Amino acid sequence: MNLSVQTAYHTLERFQVVDVREPEEWADGLLPGALRLPLSRLQALAPLYLERERPVLLYCRSGNRSQEALKTLKNLGHPKVWHLEGGIKAWCEAGIPCTSPV
């Protein structure tokens, strides 16, 4: 399911927020409280870091990889998964601050 930037901003604390970009992309900033689980390793890392029954919000740079990640988590049995429409790019364009990756 898709979640708009504005809705995500106002409900972020309800989600396990997951950045599925690759490590070299994290320097551009992160959503507050985001876990860093690259799409390339999501299938292996998700069972270790994500609670299956808690809602998950996925994001990447523009929204393409997070849609793929959504399918991966659904296949792993996560019932409540959303992806951020437009990714972190849309988040920043809306003027909402990111956090530092350090």
Side-chain angles (χ1 to χ4, degrees), residues 2-101:
N2 297 344
L3 198 64
S4 73
V5 168
Q6 292 302 326
T7 301
Y9 175 69
H10 292 293
T11 61
L12 202 58
E13 70 282 348
R14 296 171 51 196
F15 294 96
Q16 298 175 92
V17 180
V18 179
D19 187 328
V20 298
R21 297 176 297 163
E22 295 301 315
E24 60 273 9
E25 298 175 279
W26 294 333
D28 295 336
L30 304 165
L31 267 58
L35 293 169
R36 302 175 204 174
L37 305 178
L39 180 60
S40 62
R41 302 200 53 227
L42 185 62
Q43 189 161 346
L45 295 175
L48 302 173
Y49 293 99
L50 298 177
E51 297 175 43
R52 193 171 292 191
E53 295 304 318
R54 281 191 59 212
V56 177
L57 175 62
L58 302 161
Y59 74 93
C60 60
R61 188 184 75 76
S62 64
N64 293 326
R65 284 175 284 179
S66 59
Q67 288 181 347
E68 188 65 33
L70 186 143
K71 293 175 192 173
T72 298
L73 290 186
K74 288 285 190 179
N75 288 338
L76 290 172
H78 289 265
K80 304 171 191 170
V81 186
W82 286 262
H83 92 95
L84 183 65
E85 289 179 356
I88 196 165
K89 184 177 174 187
W91 181 275
C92 293
E93 287 173 356
I96 304 171
C98 294
T99 61
S100 170

